[in-house]
Amino acid sequence: MTVNRVGLVVHGGRAEAVAAARAVRAWCAEHAVGCADIDVWQEGARHSAREEMDSAGDPDLVVTLGGDGTFLRGARLAAENDALVLGVDLGRVGFLTEVPATAVRAALDAVREERIDVESRMLLTLRASCRLEVPAQMEALLRYGRGPMLPPPRVRTECEVGGDWGVALNVTALNDVVVEKLARDRQVSVAVYLAGRLLACYSADALLVATPTGSTAYSFAAGGPVVSPRAEGLVFTPVAPHMVFNRSVVAAPDEPVALRVLERSGQAAVSIDGQLRGVLSPGDWIGVYAAPRRLKAVRLGPTDFYGRLRERMNLTDAPAALADGQAAPLWPVRTPPPEDLAHLALPPGPG
Ligand SMILES: NC(=O)c1ccc[n+]([C@@H]2O[C@H](COP(=O)([O-])OP(=O)(O)OC[C@H]3O[C@@H](n4cnc5c(N)ncnc54)[C@H](O)[C@@H]3O)[C@@H](O)[C@H]2O)c1
Ligand SMILES: Nc1ncnc2c1ncn2[C@@H]1O[C@H](COP(=O)(O)OP(=O)(O)OP(=O)(O)O)[C@@H](O)[C@H]1O
């Protein structure tokens, strides 16, 4: 895997991330690999993923130095170019990031020497009844948020658009697409369709569609299931629905989840991976589906997703269970697994 150019996305508000960026630039200089900073927070306007990647000289590896938010911003850029993304963990939770800051040079060596795995993760994209835009007066309110907004998503010209099938928008979500109430005091009323069939009409604070990766983010906070990132599917989760049916539904990877704002509902905001991208008025709809494109994430070894879940989410054991005994490993890993277990995902065996 030849890496000719690295794009750096840095959490500029964190000194350790700024120091780690210096280490990446030094490594690139030593190995004659081009390196460009991608300043997604540039003063003034933010740019489309295409523009960011063009001005960084089309990197084939995006390195993020920060937390999960920084990784999500880097993933959006990497997906645009089918580039690899490597997350260096300099955040508060670090659920998505792969390597500690102390291992950044070793990680870059591993990429260069092709001692890595590339994990393919599902991304979501969408079609909408109209182009997504944020009204100009809302920009002023966003100064209470995280700085400048992304430009409106462009229409995917490579797709057939219009007619009953709506406008294909160039958005990719690694975590989730969220439709949420815009006014604090007015829930949204939304009809939800799975695989083209009406599931139910919801009145709720928000409705979200998550990937398996995003199942541990907002969907998890709203009571949704934890889904292995190796599984395929779309998780629909309502947030505070005022109705009896409040469960998540997990759709198959080829089943779209569509959300239509009902006639007398309040307006709704659309967020993609936590970033506000548009406003829906009554009658508007979005259809969310698995993108043909996937994220290519650098892995330095087998991912211990459940270990990370236990550790990063501070999962605690039942007090009575702790009093009743210690959890020993389920199966010994000192010998190769018997034939009937050989096809299963188990911790690495000897050697
Ligand atoms: N109530 C909530 O939990 C809530 C509300 C809004 C948005 N979000 C999530 O925040 C995400 C954007 O992240 P951000 O860091 O830019 O904003 P943020 O700083 O508001 O992040 C929320 C938290 O979620 C963590 N996180 C992000 N992605 C994760 C994942 N896939 N698995 C586990 N934890 C994850 C982050 O580390 C952070 O602690 C959105 O995609 C959405 O899922 C969560
Ligand atoms: N290059 C930069 N210049 C200025 N501000 C920056 C830069 N990079 C990041 N920031 C600031 O840091 C914030 C990033 O916050 P965010 O919560 O997304 O971080 P994170 O990567 O998820 O880490 P954490 O896990 O600590 O939240 C941005 O809102 C922005 O204000």
Side-chain angles (χ1 to χ4, degrees):
M1 213 158 303
T2 319
V3 172
N4 295 311
R5 197 163 177 82
V6 169
L8 272 180
V9 181
V10 186
H11 187 316
R14 191 156 290 149
E16 305 91 302
V18 174
R22 278 196 292 273
V24 176
R25 286 188 211 102
W27 182 93
C28 288
E30 283 163 34
H31 295 88
V33 171
C35 184
D37 277 69
I38 310 180
D39 186 358
V40 297
W41 295 109
Q42 236 164 26
E43 207 45 54
R46 290 183 68 186
H47 303 284
S48 69
R50 181 71 273 135
E51 288 163 341
E52 298 272 23
M53 290 302 265
D54 282 350
S55 63
D58 279 326
D60 33 32
L61 171 68
V62 173
V63 176
T64 73
L65 303 152
D68 291 324
T70 306
F71 185 82
L72 290 169
R73 286 185 275 283
R76 179 179 143 265
L77 302 171
E80 178 72 22
N81 259 26
D82 215 19
L84 293 172
V85 60
L86 170 69
V88 180
D89 183 13
L90 287 151
R92 291 168 301 163
V93 176
F95 209 87
L96 301 171
T97 46
E98 171 73 359
V99 289
T102 46
V104 69
R105 284 184 67 93
L108 291 168
D109 287 338
V111 176
R112 189 163 169 270
E113 291 156 20
E114 302 189 16
R115 288 183 282 107
I116 57 163
D117 293 322
V118 177
E119 192 181 49
S120 157
R121 292 231 175 166
M122 177 196 268
L123 296 166
L124 299 175
T125 190
L126 57 84
R127 276 179 179 254
S129 56
C130 53
R131 291 195 67 167
L132 286 182
E133 264 166 354
V134 178
Q137 62 272 28
M138 270 187 76
E139 290 244 23
L141 283 175
L142 290 175
R143 68 178 185 275
Y144 299 112
R146 266 183 280 201
M149 246 183 353
L150 285 168
R154 73 165 173 82
V155 176
R156 278 182 280 142
T157 45
E158 70 279 14
C159 300
E160 202 184 314
V161 296
D164 296 340
W165 297 98
V167 188
L169 295 175
N170 187 43
V171 295
T172 47
L174 175 61
N175 266 353
D176 41 35
V177 176
V178 180
V179 168
E180 57 197 318
K181 66 179 184 182
L182 197 56
R184 291 178 54 78
D185 53 358
R186 186 104 194 261
Q187 287 181 318
V188 279
S189 291
V190 175
V192 176
Y193 306 80
L194 273 91
R197 303 277 177 184
L198 181 67
L199 174 72
C201 293
Y202 288 79
S203 183
D205 282 359
L207 301 143
L208 63 91
V209 186
T211 59
T213 300
S215 70
T216 48
Y218 198 176
S219 175
F220 173 83
V226 171
V227 182
S228 164
R230 300 181 62 232
E232 295 289 312
L234 284 77
V235 183
F236 162 72
T237 301
V239 181
H242 195 247
M243 58 202 283
V244 173
F245 181 63
N246 64 354
R247 307 295 171 84
S248 287
V249 179
V250 182
D254 61 353
E255 293 175 340
V257 182
L259 310 165
R260 182 193 293 275
V261 182
L262 295 174
E263 281 155 59
R264 288 182 291 283
S265 165
Q267 282 185 307
V270 180
S271 297
I272 315 280
D273 283 350
Q275 308 214 13
L276 179 66
R277 299 305 300 274
V279 169
L280 299 180
S281 296
D284 292 342
W285 57 263
I286 58 168
V288 181
Y289 54 98
R293 180 179 294 182
R294 316 263 307 178
L295 183 75
K296 294 185 348 193
V298 172
R299 294 284 171 250
L300 299 179
T303 316
D304 177 14
F305 172 71
Y306 301 103
R308 181 170 286 206
L309 180 69
R310 183 175 165 84
E311 180 206 327
R312 302 283 160 106
M313 295 294 193
N314 280 338
L315 302 193
T316 48
D317 304 308
L322 282 178
D324 283 346
Q326 278 210 330
L330 176 60
W331 279 314
V333 287
R334 294 181 301 272
T335 53
E339 205 181 325
D340 62 315
L341 304 182
H343 64 292
L344 300 181
L346 293 170

